[in-house]
Amino acid sequence: MAAVAARSTGSVGVGAVIFISVALTTYFISKKKKKKKKESRKKKKGLVDAIGNTPLIRINSLSAATGCQILGKCEFLNPGGSVKDRVAVQIIQEALESGQLRPGGIVTEGSAGSTAISIATVAPAYGCRTHVVIPDDAAIEKSQILEALGATVERVRPVSITHKDHFVNIARRRASEANEFALKRRNSQQLNGKEDTEKINGYESNGCNYSSLFPEDCQGGFFADQFENLANFRAHYEGTGPEIWEQTNGKLDAFVAAAGTGGTVAGVSKFLQEKNPNIKCFLLDPPGSGLFNKVTRGVMYTKEEAEGRRLKNPFDTITEGIGINRITRNFAMAKLDGAFRGTDREAVEMSRFLLKNDGLFLGSSSAMNCVGAVRVAQAIGTGHTIVTILCDSGMRHLSKFYDAEYLSQLGLTPKAIGLEFLGVK
């Protein structure tokens, strides 16, 4: 009996130890989780620190319709309202660190809107200003937002990228002119001796005179160059891609997005495929863009379609900020398994479908990305997890993409009840 009692007591002792061990483990895990949650809620140090770490949400209607988990990265929740906030921060920080830009300088950019708005939002946090050159067929509210943010805005006619007066080329010139203006001002004031007046931000004077578009205290200019500046790619390779990986616990099967500069699709695709080569990455290309042909056939366009032969805007789409007919340095970094085409009608219908069924009020490129997500789901089958980018909201697209009269003139009045425009019943 004594032996039995001892064994019984021993069993109780072991059980107690196990119970206490489990309880302590649970306690510390719970405490660690609470600490992590508390840290995630800590105060951000200014606007720049609030950029990124956007939610990844399940798009319920599309997930239910396709049998896949379709997830959208809510980039419209960034402080400046779009995915381009990440790019603006990366470009400005790298330029300041390299000495190409100094506080008090002017960041110039040629942009259809979102990147410019992000730069105009972020630049003041670094003590800089913004000068934007924008095509005059972009939604007027984008110019209005830029001006409200304190940026100087030039609206110019759309022409080929090979033309000297393409909005990107004008923006590049404005940076040189800002540097020239700052140099002449320094020379006139005879500050800091000969060496400092010969160069500014690495720029040497060409001796030309420019009518001033810049404030008297301008500290030179820096051309952001979102298309070719690899800071764009790095913003997504170091930020957006890792966030998606963490938010899905690495359990995703595909990523899809459209491309303008190519930074988002390149940075995210390269990061994800380095983490897991089995993750399939796709491009969604709008009308008039040549990237679909480049990805699927290796040839971007025929000689007749080359940008150098076009005098007008080469794109035949109402979506803004996506589609291009050249390979940028950013896009060249992409790791893609294929591409899909999207149409303006599909983008318009998708935007209304998501607003009605999910309460998502999305911009044109976001709607096109969701078209891409459905296309990928149809291609790879049910049971997969697909991620796309919700670039910005519909607030910047009221005068065109969400204007009934404008759409009616183009024969794009939305009529769909469900997703029948994508062949989904």
Side-chain angles (χ1 to χ4, degrees):
M1 287 293 290
V4 172
R7 284 197 299 270
S8 176
T9 303
S11 298
V12 171
V14 171
V17 169
I18 293 173
F19 174 79
I20 292 169
S21 177
V22 171
L24 285 171
T25 301
T26 303
Y27 169 76
F28 285 116
I29 289 174
S30 175
K31 189 174 182 181
K32 187 176 181 181
K33 285 182 177 179
K34 286 180 180 178
K35 183 180 179 182
K36 188 174 182 182
K37 191 172 183 180
K38 187 176 180 181
E39 287 176 350
S40 69
R41 291 179 178 177
K42 69 180 181 180
K43 292 180 181 178
K44 304 294 184 181
K45 297 178 181 178
L47 177 139
V48 171
D49 201 30
I51 292 170
N53 294 308
T54 54
L56 184 69
I57 65 168
R58 181 180 189 268
I59 304 178
N60 293 329
S61 64
L62 300 186
S63 298
T66 61
C68 288
Q69 292 290 325
I70 294 184
L71 310 177
K73 189 86 164 108
C74 296
E75 292 299 293
F76 57 84
L77 293 178
N78 278 307
S82 84
V83 66
K84 297 297 186 179
D85 281 15
R86 299 174 184 267
V87 178
V89 166
Q90 193 81 18
I91 287 175
I92 293 175
Q93 283 184 345
E94 290 189 13
L96 287 167
E97 289 167 3
S98 68
Q100 294 176 283
L101 175 66
R102 66 178 65 188
I106 296 176
V107 183
T108 72
E109 184 58 298
S111 170
S114 288
T115 302
I117 291 171
S118 291
I119 291 174
T121 300
V122 168
Y126 293 96
C128 299
R129 299 181 177 92
T130 309
H131 183 99
V132 179
V133 187
I134 189 170
D136 63 12
D137 60 351
I140 189 63
E141 54 266 35
K142 293 186 178 182
S143 292
Q144 294 170 334
I145 293 170
L146 284 164
E147 289 170 349
L149 288 168
T152 304
V153 180
E154 285 185 73
R155 289 178 67 90
V156 300
R157 67 187 181 94
V159 292
S160 164
I161 186 64
T162 60
H163 194 288
K164 67 181 182 65
D165 288 332
H166 184 275
F167 63 95
V168 171
N169 296 330
I170 294 175
R172 183 183 288 107
R173 287 204 304 274
R174 294 296 181 249
S176 296
E177 291 169 7
N179 281 324
E180 184 72 27
F181 175 80
L183 273 171
K184 289 186 177 299
R185 178 176 169 276
R186 284 192 184 188
N187 282 331
S188 66
Q189 295 180 343
Q190 296 183 344
L191 293 178
N192 300 326
K194 182 179 178 182
E195 183 177 353
D196 283 347
T197 59
E198 287 179 345
K199 287 187 179 182
I200 187 167
N201 299 345
Y203 173 84
E204 294 186 24
S205 174
N206 60 14
C208 295
N209 291 312
Y210 297 106
S211 59
S212 175
L213 295 169
F214 317 109
E216 282 297 318
D217 59 349
C218 169
Q219 296 298 310
F222 171 75
F223 175 46
D225 198 13
Q226 60 168 324
F227 287 87
E228 307 302 331
N229 189 338
L230 289 180
N232 183 347
F233 160 80
R234 286 187 286 272
H236 300 292
Y237 180 78
E238 297 171 7
T240 319
E243 287 175 29
I244 290 171
W245 178 260
E246 182 179 344
Q247 289 170 319
T248 58
N249 294 316
K251 297 177 181 178
L252 71 156
D253 301 289
F255 170 76
V256 61
T261 64
T264 305
V265 73
V268 174
S269 67
K270 191 170 191 299
F271 178 85
L272 292 179
Q273 291 207 346
E274 285 178 358
K275 297 296 286 187
N276 181 357
N278 293 323
I279 297 174
K280 302 299 181 184
C281 296
F282 299 95
L283 172 78
L284 190 285
D285 215 27
S289 177
L291 296 178
F292 173 86
N293 286 337
K294 182 64 177 178
V295 173
T296 59
R297 304 173 189 171
V299 179
M300 180 163 283
Y301 45 64
T302 65
K303 291 181 179 179
E304 289 74 24
E305 292 175 320
E307 285 195 36
R309 292 176 177 269
R310 293 186 174 196
L311 297 178
K312 299 292 183 181
N313 189 334
F315 310 130
D316 304 313
T317 178
I318 64 167
T319 58
E320 294 183 357
I322 55 175
I324 194 170
N325 275 334
R326 69 182 189 279
I327 298 295
T328 66
R329 289 182 68 202
N330 285 290
F331 186 82
M333 303 293 288
K335 301 295 181 183
L336 297 172
D337 296 286
F340 298 89
R341 284 196 184 278
T343 68
D344 283 347
R345 168 149 309 270
E346 289 167 349
V348 170
E349 296 285 10
M350 176 62 77
S351 67
R352 275 56 175 186
F353 177 85
L354 293 173
L355 183 58
K356 178 182 178 181
N357 291 279
D358 299 88
L360 287 169
F361 181 42
L362 301 177
S364 57
S365 58
S366 301
M368 192 69 88
N369 282 348
C370 290
V371 169
V374 173
R375 290 296 187 206
V376 172
Q378 291 170 325
I380 67 177
T382 60
H384 296 94
T385 298
I386 301 163
V387 176
T388 193
I389 303 292
L390 306 182
C391 313
D392 68 359
S393 77
M395 294 301 293
R396 299 175 183 176
H397 303 264
L398 299 177
S399 66
K400 295 179 71 176
F401 193 68
Y402 280 96
D403 184 81
E405 184 177 348
Y406 176 80
L407 294 178
S408 176
Q409 292 172 355
L410 297 174
L412 292 174
T413 300
K415 301 175 182 177
I417 296 172
L419 289 171
E420 62 268 24
F421 58 94
L422 290 176
V424 179
K425 295 182 179 179

